[in-house]
Amino acid sequence: MENKLKEKYGLLTAICLVVGIVIGSGVFFKAEKVLNATGGNLPLGILAWGVGGMIMIICAYTFSTLATRYSFVNGTLDYAENIVGEGYGYFMGWFMATIYYPASTSVLAWVSARYLCVLLGWDITGGACLVISGAFLILTFAMNTLGPVLAGKFQVSTTVIKLIPLMLMGIVGLVVGLFNGMTIDNFTTVVDPTVIPTSGFLAAVVATAFAYEGWIIATSINAELKDPKKNLPKALVLGTIIVAVVYILYYVGIAGGISNADMMEMRADGTRQAFVNLFSSIGGTVLFVFVIISCLGTLNGLTMACSRGMYSLAVRNRGPKPKLLWDVDRQTNMPVNSAIIGLVFCAIWLTYFYGSQLAAEPWFGAFSFDSSELPIVTIYGMYIPIFIMVMIRETDAHFMKRFVMPGLSILCCLFMIAAAFIAHGVTAVVCYIIVFAVILVIGIPFMRQRA
């Protein structure tokens, strides 16, 4: 055994990791929610996607500046440690390993299973969907643990595959919708005029946060990137711009394939119906299979990060049993023990998500919050000290990189936090913060000094 990860991924894999993690399930899963949140107000929904995309690009640009300076293991921890301090870096890493990575990964497993169940005509909230979700988790962790190079190639191939239905829907849907008038109708008709535009817009932006999130996860493989200080910044900026453009194009395109009212009513099956309407039953079904593959590609990208969550702490001599969790298998060059812990946390969060969001009666009462969105909003809050310290400590940086972009990033983070309170309600957010705080307190005894 050893405890050093080798450089094995290039710029293309890094860009595909950014694009591949972000693009996938979120754009399909949250397109319905954005539409419902805005009451079927398509222009307001497009604005929400645009604002969410700008927040992502601005924050990614600020992190790209840090990526040119610091590189050890797991970029986010590197930046937090070097800019704010080792203690803050530890809690950032503990949060990402125990909440952020596994909560997002578990939801992605369910979304992948969800669309497979839609294709098969099965209940998306039933036991079968949950079992498939668990199977997807186990399979992706096995692939990443036993064949990391294969997982990297799978990430690249699924990124290409997932762009096919998105680009086809965006281009064909826009052209067909303009010819048959559906796009104009969807732009000019508000399905539910009782929805308050301000609150609906904020709820929609928070929903896009899940669809856009994932770009920061690309920094988790910085120790395995070739020339990370050069390639990671490029991947962050180029990848996030590609994602924003594709998302907005897709959201406009789908308005040419199905009416807003039908999309809102059909929910999970609405996406499939839009593809069928535009590309016939067979063509639509084939493209919907591509949608499922794209979801699995996103799941794979999140799994790549989740597998390394505890390793990134252990290699710093922090977290529980660091000597056990920093072991890297000589044959696969993967932290197998860390991956197993990541899978366990994913199983816990998948069970929580099912009980809080999918069960007929929520299992956890007031603590049944949406684990697909609130952990993401939390990480925006944890970015703020990093951005503040960039302005204080990066004295040799250009004015734009030192003050303007970090300042805009802080405003973006504050906006996301305020939007979360309005969209989810104070009770849900406070209950989540309590759980968040308890998990962080549990991590205090494992906060060792680096050896």
Side-chain angles (χ1 to χ4, degrees), residues 9-22 56 60 63-64 67 70-79 96 100-101 155 212-226 228-229 231-240 243 298 300-306 308 379 383:
Y9 302 126
L11 175 61
L12 179 61
T13 299
I15 293 176
C16 288
L17 186 60
V18 175
V19 176
I21 288 177
V22 180
M56 172 187 64
F63 271 103
S64 74
Y70 309 108
S71 180
F72 177 49
V73 175
N74 191 327
T76 313
L77 272 67
D78 296 340
Y79 315 146
M96 297 183 81
Y100 177 68
Y101 289 154
Q155 191 65 34
Y212 277 124
E213 191 52 31
W215 56 270
I216 193 63
I217 294 175
T219 65
S220 68
I221 65 164
N222 65 330
E224 299 158 86
L225 278 180
K226 300 172 183 176
K229 292 183 178 180
N231 288 331
L232 187 55
K234 290 181 180 179
L236 288 174
V237 175
L238 292 175
T240 51
V243 169
T298 306
N300 178 70
L302 284 167
T303 302
M304 291 176 75
C306 197
R308 296 159 174 81
I379 203 168
Y383 291 158

Side-chain angles (χ1 to χ4, degrees), residues 141-163:
F141 268 91
M143 179 172 65
N144 275 272
T145 303
L146 302 177
V149 175
L150 174 62
K153 293 180 179 179
F154 182 74
Q155 191 65 34
V156 173
S157 61
T158 54
T159 298
V160 175
I161 290 173
K162 71 177 59 180
L163 288 173

Side-chain angles (χ1 to χ4, degrees), residues 34-35 38-49 182-191 251-256 260:
V34 169
L35 203 56
T38 58
N41 187 325
L42 188 62
L44 195 61
I46 293 172
L47 179 61
W49 283 106
M182 183 172 289
T183 299
I184 302 300
D185 287 343
N186 282 333
F187 262 91
T188 56
T189 302
V190 177
V191 179
Y251 193 72
V252 173
I254 203 169
N260 290 342

Side-chain angles (χ1 to χ4, degrees), residues 22-280:
V22 180
I23 289 182
S25 61
V27 67
F28 307 115
F29 179 37
K30 294 300 181 180
E32 314 155 16
K33 186 167 183 178
V34 169
L35 203 56
N36 280 279
T38 58
N41 187 325
L42 188 62
L44 195 61
I46 293 172
L47 179 61
W49 283 106
V51 170
M54 283 305 301
I55 290 172
M56 172 187 64
I57 293 170
I58 289 170
C59 292
Y61 179 88
T62 303
F63 271 103
S64 74
T65 302
L66 295 174
T68 64
R69 296 171 178 263
Y70 309 108
S71 180
F72 177 49
V73 175
N74 191 327
T76 313
L77 272 67
D78 296 340
Y79 315 146
E81 283 185 339
N82 286 279
I83 291 292
V84 184
E86 287 195 356
Y88 191 78
Y90 168 74
F91 283 113
M92 173 73 84
W94 180 259
F95 160 72
M96 297 183 81
T98 59
I99 301 176
Y100 177 68
Y101 289 154
S104 297
T105 305
S106 63
V107 172
L108 261 296
W110 172 75
V111 172
S112 302
R114 175 185 194 248
Y115 284 115
L116 178 58
C117 288
V118 168
L119 183 65
L120 299 175
W122 295 356
D123 182 10
I124 63 173
T125 62
C129 189
L130 184 63
V131 170
I132 295 173
S133 303
F136 281 159
L137 275 178
I138 293 170
L139 289 172
T140 52
F141 268 91
M143 179 172 65
N144 275 272
T145 303
L146 302 177
V149 175
L150 174 62
K153 293 180 179 179
F154 182 74
Q155 191 65 34
V156 173
S157 61
T158 54
T159 298
V160 175
I161 290 173
K162 71 177 59 180
L163 288 173
I164 294 174
L166 286 168
M167 297 302 293
L168 282 176
M169 175 58 76
I171 297 171
V172 176
L174 179 60
V175 172
V176 172
L178 289 174
F179 273 98
N180 65 19
M182 183 172 289
T183 299
I184 302 300
D185 287 343
N186 282 333
F187 262 91
T188 56
T189 302
V190 177
V191 179
D192 185 2
T194 63
V195 172
I196 301 173
T198 303
S199 59
F201 169 73
L202 292 175
V205 173
V206 174
T208 68
F210 176 84
Y212 277 124
E213 191 52 31
W215 56 270
I216 193 63
I217 294 175
T219 65
S220 68
I221 65 164
N222 65 330
E224 299 158 86
L225 278 180
K226 300 172 183 176
D227 197 359
K229 292 183 178 180
K230 178 181 178 182
N231 288 331
L232 187 55
K234 290 181 180 179
L236 288 174
V237 175
L238 292 175
T240 51
I241 291 173
I242 292 170
V243 169
V245 171
V246 171
Y247 271 17
I248 294 172
L249 179 62
Y250 168 81
Y251 193 72
V252 173
I254 203 169
I258 189 171
S259 69
N260 290 342
D262 287 343
M263 185 69 177
M264 292 168 66
E265 181 180 354
M266 298 177 73
R267 292 183 176 271
D269 200 45
T271 301
R272 180 173 182 270
Q273 190 59 50
F275 279 103
V276 169
N277 290 345
L278 288 172
F279 302 101
S280 77

Side-chain angles (χ1 to χ4, degrees), residues 2 79 127 151 165 167 244 274 321 344 349 366 380:
E2 55 185 17
Y79 315 146
M167 297 302 293
K321 302 289 183 182
V344 171
W349 279 106
Y380 276 103

